[in-house]
Amino acid sequence: MSDDKEIVLTADQSPNREGTAHQSALGPKPKRKHFFSPLDSTYADAVNLDAESVEFTPEEDYAVKRKIDNRVLPLVICSGNAHVLDEFNENFGITNNDKWTLALSIFYVGYCLLEMPANVFQRHIGANRFFFLSLTWWGLASLSFVYAKGYAGLLVLRVLLGIGEAGYYAGMIYYLSFWYRRHELAMRISLCMTGTFPGAIGGLLAFGLVRAKTSLLTGWQFLFLIEAIPTLIMASSILFFLPSFPFSATFLTPRERAIAQARLNRDHRPTSHGGASGWESFKLVINDINSWMFMIIYASFNVGVATVSYFLPTLIKDLGFSSINAQGMTVAPYIVGWFLVFLQAWHSDRTKDRGYHVMASTAISFIGYVILATSVQKSVGAAYFALFLVVGGNFSLFPLVMSWAANAFSPTSKRGVGTAFIVSISNTVSIASPQIYFDSDDNFRKGHAISAACLLVSFLTAFALRTRLAVLNKRNAKKLQEISAEEKDQNDETPAEIPDNDYRYVFMT
């Protein structure tokens, strides 16, 4: 411990332009006592000290970012649409639409309750261990579908799936915020987290495997088997190869770790250790009006996401197609939707704007739902086209809204709880979301109208939030101009994270 104190005291006395001095002064990395023990903060402190003085070129900045992309993103990216298949319905006793919507809703019970504790737990044990536990649980639950029977079994497994998925999506956004600047997040979240690409693959698999049958398994069982096994393999891969934080990344050299940390410290300075407790962060979140506005935006568009994710094959089937063809026809909307998701996220990062892009996506999805509500019984072509708008608009909102929220919360402990809060509270709405598709005898027109109204609420709230953050930025900029030069120098010397209620904090609008 005395050596550590000496390192801190001499931090400002050495130029340390290479960004390796403090890391080199540490001994061999100590082994963690057990699986759930936290990472050693000594190494995080050393990398942060090196990051303060490291000097690097734009070319080195780009090279480190690409190295992170090549290691982190493939592992994250590689981490069902079966319900319209008759065999699935028969096996689990789904005899009407009410039973199916209840099975969809019950998923969100464990998911919502565990979302915020999961993010706090992730920061404690590290992302690789947390995602290993999450994916393993989810994979085993998915595997259990293969041999489960009866409606009660379906409900139990849906609850277990929700528990396994709790904290995964919000946790992944929180995790990526430790690696990328604020204006780099949306595009990478779109690559990692959108449901359009898995949806297209799921549709292709369902279309191809539904005809498969052996003495032991039928088509829908193969779908769950193919979902479960790769998930379990990826869980093990993430445990061994995914670095939790830049300071613990063995694929980076000491200098590259300092550069990776410096890139972030000059943008939003995330911290892997310390800060407010989970409870203190929760109080900061619930007392922040921005949290509730983000929650309204997310909850409103998530009504559409939560329904179209499960009902898309059913909606296509009701246009007059067979169950098998309906599965195949889900692929095109998901593929086109993926391009819109990526385009919106890329342009949002490039222009450093979130609000206008969120409003654009809500408008696209709103138009799609209006077409469905008014034309689904009049024109098959118009209804199918509307599904392209709905899928692209809905799913492009997830990376935009969540990267915007991650940009709006500081310090790091508040960001972790804040992103989980939005997903958790919003998904309580998802418990009821499938119930809006109650009018199957009318081609779900009332459900489409309700979804359209929710998208309108999301649009208006995004407009209000963007206006609010722009006003806060102008007020903070004015106050910053009025303070004395001495105060500015004192502020510049402060190494800690800038909280989002500080006049030096700049919100992304």
Side-chain angles (χ1 to χ4, degrees):
M1 292 299 294
S2 60
D3 293 339
D4 294 341
K5 291 179 180 178
E6 186 178 350
I7 291 171
V8 174
L9 290 172
T10 58
D12 297 326
Q13 298 174 13
S14 172
N16 190 22
R17 294 175 182 175
E18 285 297 309
T20 60
H22 299 93
Q23 296 175 73
S24 300
L26 295 174
K29 187 176 180 180
K31 292 183 178 181
R32 295 167 74 168
K33 295 180 180 178
H34 52 79
F35 187 90
F36 298 104
S37 61
L39 288 88
D40 188 351
S41 62
T42 305
Y43 287 82
D45 295 339
V47 172
N48 273 288
L49 286 170
D50 285 336
E52 289 179 21
S53 55
V54 66
E55 296 180 2
F56 55 97
T57 64
E59 290 76 19
E60 287 180 298
D61 182 308
Y62 181 83
V64 169
K65 182 173 68 174
R66 282 290 166 261
K67 199 168 181 181
I68 293 170
D69 283 343
N70 293 335
R71 178 60 173 268
V72 171
L73 292 185
L75 286 168
V76 174
I77 291 171
C78 294
S79 337
N81 287 320
H83 72 272
V84 300
L85 304 180
D86 295 335
E87 295 89 343
F88 180 91
N89 293 339
E90 292 171 6
N91 183 77
F92 288 108
I94 301 175
T95 55
N96 54 56
N97 190 62
D98 291 340
K99 282 193 169 185
W100 175 242
T101 55
L102 176 59
L104 297 182
S105 297
I106 203 169
F107 167 89
Y108 293 100
V109 175
Y111 184 94
C112 296
L113 290 174
L114 297 176
E115 188 77 36
M116 282 184 278
N119 258 23
V120 176
F121 184 52
Q122 175 194 326
R123 190 177 184 226
H124 177 75
I125 67 171
N128 62 330
R129 299 187 179 202
F130 174 78
F131 293 133
F132 166 76
L133 294 173
S134 176
L135 290 173
T136 300
W137 181 287
W138 192 95
L140 292 174
S142 184
L143 191 63
S144 300
F145 272 89
V146 177
Y147 294 108
K149 292 184 182 295
Y151 189 62
L154 173 64
L155 295 181
V156 170
L157 289 177
R158 288 288 297 168
V159 171
L160 293 178
L161 280 178
I163 292 173
E165 202 163 314
Y168 182 81
Y169 289 108
M172 196 60 76
I173 294 162
Y174 185 46
Y175 170 71
L176 291 175
S177 72
F178 284 98
W179 293 92
Y180 295 103
R181 295 186 181 107
R182 293 190 293 174
H183 66 274
E184 297 169 345
L185 265 181
M187 187 183 73
R188 286 163 177 85
I189 293 173
S190 75
L191 291 172
C192 301
M193 309 306 296
T194 179
T196 50
F197 188 63
I201 294 176
L204 282 173
L205 288 173
F207 182 68
L209 291 175
V210 69
R211 300 173 180 82
K213 193 165 187 177
T214 69
S215 59
L216 296 175
L217 301 175
T218 58
W220 70 267
Q221 290 171 310
F222 280 109
L223 287 176
F224 282 98
L225 197 64
I226 288 176
E227 277 191 344
I229 293 175
T231 300
L232 293 171
I233 294 172
M234 278 308 304
S236 298
S237 300
I238 281 178
L239 177 63
F240 292 109
F241 299 111
L242 184 73
S244 292
F245 300 102
F247 77 83
S248 63
T250 56
F251 73 96
L252 297 175
T253 66
R255 175 170 169 78
E256 288 172 337
R257 286 196 288 269
I259 293 173
Q261 191 64 51
R263 294 177 70 251
L264 301 179
N265 289 356
R266 297 171 190 183
D267 182 61
H268 64 282
R269 192 179 283 273
T271 56
S272 58
H273 293 78
S277 67
W279 175 245
E280 291 170 339
S281 300
F282 177 71
K283 289 191 289 186
L284 289 174
V285 168
I286 62 173
N287 289 320
D288 187 348
I289 190 173
N290 295 338
S291 307
W292 296 99
M293 295 182 78
F294 277 118
M295 186 274 293
I296 293 171
I297 295 170
Y298 190 108
S300 299
F301 84 76
N302 200 46
V303 170
V305 172
T307 51
V308 77
S309 300
Y310 297 109
F311 280 93
L312 185 59
T314 301
L315 297 176
I316 295 174
K317 180 184 176 183
D318 285 352
L319 296 178
F321 300 96
S322 68
S323 295
I324 296 175
N325 288 336
Q327 288 289 348
M329 291 181 70
T330 63
V331 177
Y334 276 126
I335 290 177
V336 173
W338 184 86
F339 281 105
L340 180 59
V341 169
F342 182 79
L343 178 64
Q344 276 280 73
W346 170 81
H347 194 260
S348 174
D349 277 348
R350 186 176 180 85
T351 58
K352 299 182 181 181
D353 170 85
R354 296 287 188 256
Y356 288 135
H357 288 78
V358 169
M359 286 184 270
S361 288
T362 54
I364 290 170
S365 185
F366 172 80
I367 293 169
Y369 279 118
V370 169
I371 294 173
L372 285 171
T374 57
S375 305
V376 67
Q377 295 173 336
K378 301 175 183 177
S379 170
V380 172
Y384 190 54
F385 168 73
L387 292 175
F388 284 77
L389 300 180
V390 165
V391 171
N394 278 342
F395 283 100
S396 63
L397 282 164
F398 185 85
L400 293 173
V401 173
M402 293 311 295
S403 61
W404 194 10
N407 297 157
F409 293 131
S410 184
T412 306
S413 54
K414 182 182 178 182
R415 183 178 304 117
V417 174
T419 52
F421 169 84
I422 293 167
V423 175
S424 176
I425 302 301
S426 299
N427 274 307
T428 57
V429 177
S430 296
I431 296 175
S433 293
Q435 312 304 322
I436 71 172
Y437 279 96
F438 57 86
D439 56 331
S440 56
D441 56 336
D442 192 31
N443 295 101
F444 302 107
R445 291 177 64 199
K446 292 184 180 68
H448 297 320
I450 294 171
S451 295
C454 290
L455 265 297
L456 181 60
V457 171
S458 191
F459 177 94
L460 295 174
T461 310
F463 174 78
L465 179 59
R466 190 192 186 284
T467 302
R468 168 181 162 77
L469 296 180
V471 170
L472 286 175
N473 282 342
K474 288 181 181 178
R475 187 187 70 185
N476 291 343
K478 182 179 180 181
K479 187 171 182 178
L480 195 60
Q481 289 177 342
E482 294 172 350
I483 66 173
S484 65
E486 183 179 346
E487 287 178 300
K488 286 183 179 180
D489 291 339
Q490 289 177 347
N491 290 336
D492 291 340
E493 292 173 2
T494 303
E497 273 188 285
I498 300 175
D500 53 42
N501 59 357
D502 191 291
Y503 60 85
R504 293 170 293 165
Y505 193 83
V506 180
F507 293 97
M508 183 175 282
T509 57

